[in-house]
Amino acid sequence: MPTGVKVHAVCVRLCRRRFQPDPGENTLPMRICFVVDKFPTLSETFVLDQIAGCLEREMEVSVVCNEMAFGKDSNVDDARWRTLPGPVVSWWGGLNRYRSLLRKWSGRFWDKLSTFIDLANAHKLRNVDVIVAHFGHNGLRVARIMKRRRISAPLVTIFHGTDVGRPMHDNALGYYRPVFEQGALQLPVNAFFRQALIDAGAEPAQVAVHHMGIRPGEIEYRWRCWQGRTLSFISVCRLTEKKGTEYALRALAGLPHRDWIYSVIGGGELLEQLKRTAIDLGIADRVSFLGPRPHGEVKQRLRDADVFLLPSVAGRDGDLEGIPVALMEAMAGGLIAVSTYHSGIPELIEDHKTGFLVPERDVAALAGKLAWIAENPGPCEPIALAARRKVEADFNADILNERFAQIVARLGETGSVT
């Protein structure tokens, strides 16, 4: 099975062997501990959805995190996260209030100090069957404890984007060697990351692509032909370099088709700079920077839009996308998705078949694709429908969560993926 497939062969074998206790056997529920940065948080809905999938399969879920964020965001303020079967605890406990201060140190001092504190709190990771660490740095923290024999549950580390891109940029992916040596399974979210981890020393049989996904059944598909009306573009993202919003603005400024509007939802460090760019390009009257908006309003604005723009680029610090969930949601809803040949995005979008792709930072190519879309609403309709079907088939969270549950059940049963 080639590298670019959605799930490596070892994962497929696991998925075909569901964990089946003997009839009548008095079994305890599988105990899964998720290790994350902040819990719960809207910026990591993929974590919450994966936890929900484990709960739906009657697993006992606990969480170890750096920061508990209950009550801070109504969009994720769900009673399920407060009443998990297992505890939700801060990794450093009372010392966590000093974490940001201590983090200002770098290099060997921070490395040794943080590992010492992690070790002192290792008991919070015991008495579970499987540990699932989201992002490589959390997997590394767990692996260092395992190396000192403080915990023994098999470790699954899920790599998402920045945790691969920045070390790749610095030629430092070898930093994760303890994860490769101590962990049972590495689950990067795309094939590009899988190959990067293997190149850095991970055993190929222990690295399997596992996509994040959405629940397409919760998103109504709606096609809206823009023939004879204003074409509505939209972006929903944090305004950082890797989202490529600047290139969206420059491409729109070059459109010969002038009857369009562009809504940008999200905040970030580049907001004011992007507003000035829109003014300089002479398109500020057609671009609305809306800032962060309530989830309900975002859903409505997506329903009213036609084209979803996300021309992602590699950040100068190496920051990369995984496969953006926002693209999946837009495609499920019937919008035409326009993005770039970046990281794992081509695993979701095939140019002119399930959306449109251009090279990173290529304003002329992006403007050309947008002009074609503007003038061809009819041919875009089957592309939108194919995009919906792609998400349903390959990025369906219900299917992916079932696959994930089978994998961790097998690990909890045998302690290995073989």
Side-chain angles (χ1 to χ4, degrees):
M1 188 175 293
T3 300
V5 297
K6 293 165 285 297
V7 181
H8 187 242
V10 65
C11 230
V12 173
R13 292 198 300 271
L14 292 175
C15 295
R16 290 173 178 166
R17 298 182 58 185
R18 287 197 65 171
F19 178 61
Q20 296 283 358
D22 294 334
E25 184 180 352
N26 183 23
T27 59
L28 295 173
M30 184 68 61
R31 299 167 300 176
I32 312 297
C33 179
F34 284 81
V35 180
V36 299
D37 290 323
K38 183 187 291 187
F39 182 82
T41 175
L42 184 62
S43 65
E44 296 178 4
T45 52
F46 45 82
V47 174
L48 300 179
D49 196 63
Q50 201 169 73
I51 289 175
C54 290
L55 295 175
E56 289 163 5
R57 289 153 183 83
E58 299 184 349
M59 295 181 173
E60 182 179 300
V61 176
S62 59
V63 174
V64 171
C65 58
N66 287 334
E67 179 184 348
M68 287 184 276
F70 292 108
K72 294 184 179 180
D73 192 329
S74 60
N75 291 315
V76 293
D77 196 14
D78 191 308
R80 288 177 298 174
W81 318 136
R82 294 179 181 271
T83 58
L84 293 178
V88 178
V89 297
S90 168
W91 191 322
W92 283 15
L95 286 176
N96 193 58
R97 72 187 70 175
Y98 304 111
R99 183 179 177 84
S100 59
L101 177 63
L102 296 173
R103 190 65 186 90
K104 292 179 181 179
W105 284 304
S106 60
R108 189 168 297 178
F109 178 78
W110 162 254
D111 210 43
K112 288 186 175 181
L113 176 62
S114 60
T115 299
F116 174 81
I117 301 174
D118 285 350
L119 285 165
N121 288 276
H123 60 278
K124 297 174 182 177
L125 294 166
R126 294 186 185 133
N127 301 317
V128 298
D129 297 306
V130 179
I131 298 170
V132 178
H134 275 272
F135 294 95
H137 57 270
N138 284 323
L140 181 61
R141 294 172 70 185
V142 177
R144 286 172 169 171
I145 296 174
M146 295 178 73
K147 191 173 182 179
R148 292 163 175 81
R149 302 181 186 276
R150 299 292 181 95
I151 52 177
S152 58
L155 167 65
V156 177
T157 301
I158 301 178
F159 291 85
H160 288 277
T162 301
D163 51 350
V164 179
R166 284 178 175 162
M168 280 181 65
H169 178 265
D170 296 335
N171 197 28
L173 273 175
Y175 180 68
Y176 291 127
R177 189 164 298 279
V179 182
F180 305 155
E181 293 172 348
Q182 302 296 323
L185 185 63
Q186 286 36 271
L187 294 181
V189 299
N190 62 48
F192 177 76
F193 290 166
R194 177 180 184 269
Q195 190 57 53
L197 295 176
I198 291 171
D199 291 345
E203 287 292 328
Q206 292 181 308
V207 190
V209 175
H210 185 75
H211 291 145
M212 295 294 102
I214 63 170
R215 297 181 187 249
E218 298 177 358
I219 300 175
E220 178 187 3
Y221 175 84
R222 182 187 181 198
W223 170 253
R224 299 170 69 246
C225 181
W226 51 86
Q227 186 74 47
R229 64 172 176 81
T230 299
L231 178 58
S232 176
F233 296 96
I234 191 170
S235 294
V236 181
C237 60
R238 182 159 179 79
L239 300 178
T240 61
E241 182 187 8
K242 75 175 177 181
K243 298 300 181 180
T245 311
E246 173 191 346
Y247 303 100
L249 293 170
R250 295 188 182 282
L252 286 169
L255 271 187
H257 182 92
R258 307 301 292 177
D259 190 13
W260 58 264
I261 57 172
Y262 180 34
S263 300
V264 182
I265 298 178
E269 59 267 28
L270 296 183
L271 176 58
E272 295 305 317
Q273 178 181 323
L274 291 169
K275 286 181 178 179
R276 291 193 297 272
T277 298
I279 293 170
D280 293 342
L281 292 169
I283 58 174
D285 58 329
R286 280 176 288 167
V287 179
S288 299
F289 290 95
L290 302 173
R293 308 306 299 167
H295 189 55
E297 181 181 338
V298 173
K299 289 172 65 176
Q300 183 58 55
R301 288 185 178 275
L302 285 169
R303 282 193 292 268
D304 293 340
D306 304 307
V307 180
F308 190 90
L309 275 174
L310 192 69
S312 301
V313 301
R316 283 166 289 188
D317 59 355
D319 194 8
L320 297 177
E321 304 274 23
I323 303 178
V325 170
L327 282 172
M328 303 173 201
E329 293 174 338
M331 292 164 68
L335 280 75
I336 294 296
V338 182
S339 192
T340 52
Y341 291 100
H342 169 87
S343 188
I345 291 174
E347 295 172 43
L348 172 66
I349 298 175
E350 188 175 358
D351 188 42
H352 261 276
K353 292 187 177 180
T354 57
F356 295 87
L357 296 176
V358 299
E360 293 183 31
R361 294 183 167 87
D362 191 333
V363 173
L366 182 55
K369 288 288 171 74
L370 298 183
W372 188 92
I373 291 167
E375 298 300 330
N376 292 276
C380 282
E381 184 174 3
I383 292 173
L385 184 57
R388 168 74 183 203
R389 290 173 176 164
K390 174 68 174 180
V391 173
E392 289 176 335
D394 295 336
F395 295 87
N396 187 321
D398 293 320
I399 297 171
L400 293 166
N401 285 340
E402 176 65 17
R403 181 177 296 153
F404 180 77
Q406 293 167 13
I407 292 169
V408 295
R410 176 65 177 163
L411 278 174
E413 179 190 12
T414 68
S416 73
V417 296
T418 56

